[in-house]
């Protein structure tokens, strides 16, 4: 039904007993409205909306909608591709819970949603630079943030490491110990010394 009745469906396949549909971005809303309102589908709940980053592709982001039909006991995953500038249509008018997830997807990946009136950061601080779930996001930074109850605000401080960087030799952690019971032969081979006996 999906491949023939909805324009823009690129692929529909089963992955681990779940139907996964890839749809062109400009036909995403048509498909989602059909899935929610058609009597044979009735996907009443948006269980999750998330993103995935593939920076080697021109349309680097996957926007993933996980839907549940409670009345029919069925699940479906709908995926659309977008880039850094092209906004994805908001589904907040279909499922109110999408408000939070669209904000999270914007915050973590930088994906824009058209028709979303509250596109603010939700997990990172307002002055945060970048989007932490992008593959090209740096792994370390120079400042860290935490909430200071005495100052009643979020405080930025230089990163403090709890220990200096260490060099590891990747040998056995037991090398410096005396021979443990049961290791006498290997210890004798490696060290050329008489094993300790109990």
């Amino acid at each position: 039904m999906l491949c023939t009745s909805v324009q823009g469906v690129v692929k529909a396949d089963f992955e681990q007993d779940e139907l996964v549909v890839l749809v062109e971005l400009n036909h995403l809303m048509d498909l989602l409205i059909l899935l929610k309102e058609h009597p044979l589908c009735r996907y009443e709940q948006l269980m999750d909306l998330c993103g995935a980053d593939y920076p080697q592709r021109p349309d680097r982001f996957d926007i993933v909608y996980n839907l549940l039909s409670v009345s029919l006991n069925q699940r479906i995953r709908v995926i659309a591709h977008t880039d850094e500038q092209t906004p994805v249509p908001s589904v907040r008018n279909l499922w109110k819970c999408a408000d939070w997830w669209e904000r999270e997807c914007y915050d973590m990946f930088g994906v824009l949603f058209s028709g979303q009136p509250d596109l603010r950061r939700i997990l990172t601080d307002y002055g945060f630079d970048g989007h932490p779930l992008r593959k090209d996001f740096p792994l370390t930074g120079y400042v860290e943030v935490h909430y200071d109850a005495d100052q009643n605000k979020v405080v930025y401080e230089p990163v403090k490491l709890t220990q200096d960087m260490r060099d590891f030799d990747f040998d056995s952690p037991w090398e410096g110990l005396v021979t443990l019971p049961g290791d006498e032969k290997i210890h004798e081979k490696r060290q050329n010394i008489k094993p300790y006996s109990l």
Side-chain angles (χ1 to χ4, degrees):
M1 175 184 129
L2 286 173
C3 291
T4 57
S5 65
V6 179
Q7 193 177 14
V9 171
V10 177
K11 181 174 95 168
D13 248 337
F14 279 93
E15 293 178 14
Q16 299 179 0
D17 297 328
E18 184 173 295
L19 182 59
V20 179
V21 178
L22 178 62
V23 64
E24 294 171 359
L25 185 61
N26 54 343
H27 295 287
L28 174 67
M29 284 303 291
D30 298 334
L31 176 62
L32 293 177
I33 290 169
L34 173 84
L35 290 173
K36 182 174 183 189
E37 296 177 357
H38 195 282
L40 295 177
C41 300
R42 294 190 288 179
Y43 287 96
E44 304 99 352
Q45 292 188 8
L46 172 64
M47 301 303 294
D48 188 28
L49 184 162
C50 56
D53 185 17
Y54 300 93
Q56 69 277 8
R57 295 187 331 208
D59 290 338
R60 70 183 285 180
F61 300 113
D62 278 2
I63 308 304
V64 183
Y65 299 83
N66 292 303
L67 307 176
L68 171 66
S69 171
V70 177
S71 52
L72 299 176
N73 192 23
Q74 294 178 358
R75 292 179 183 270
I76 190 171
R77 182 179 308 137
V78 177
I79 302 172
H81 301 310
T82 189
D83 58 24
E84 295 177 55
Q85 288 84 30
T86 308
V88 177
S90 175
V91 296
R92 66 183 297 275
N93 292 329
L94 291 174
W95 299 283
K96 288 291 182 194
C97 60
D99 273 338
W100 289 87
W101 286 321
E102 287 174 354
R103 283 181 63 186
E104 180 182 14
C105 193
Y106 164 72
D107 193 4
M108 297 290 104
F109 292 99
V111 174
L112 302 171
F113 290 89
S114 61
Q116 170 55 261
D118 191 15
L119 205 58
R120 292 178 294 150
R121 291 192 179 268
I122 194 168
L123 297 175
T124 59
D125 189 47
Y126 296 121
F128 190 85
D129 188 24
H131 303 282
L133 288 184
R134 286 188 178 187
K135 296 285 198 275
D136 52 6
F137 188 77
L139 296 178
T140 61
Y142 301 106
V143 295
E144 60 187 4
V145 297
H146 71 276
Y147 181 77
D148 189 322
D150 296 333
Q151 298 180 35
N152 199 21
K153 67 177 186 177
V154 175
V155 177
Y156 290 83
E157 293 179 343
V159 173
K160 289 178 254 165
L161 299 177
T162 55
Q163 67 182 21
D164 294 331
M165 291 296 289
R166 296 182 297 174
D167 291 325
F168 293 96
D169 58 7
F170 298 107
D171 284 335
S172 168
W174 306 106
E175 288 296 318
L177 298 176
V178 295
T179 305
L180 298 173
D183 288 342
E184 292 88 2
K185 288 182 182 176
I186 192 71
H187 185 76
E188 191 174 42
K189 259 188 216 174
R190 276 191 269 157
Q191 303 294 331
N192 243 356
I193 38 178
K194 189 174 180 180
Y196 174 79
S197 58
L198 293 174

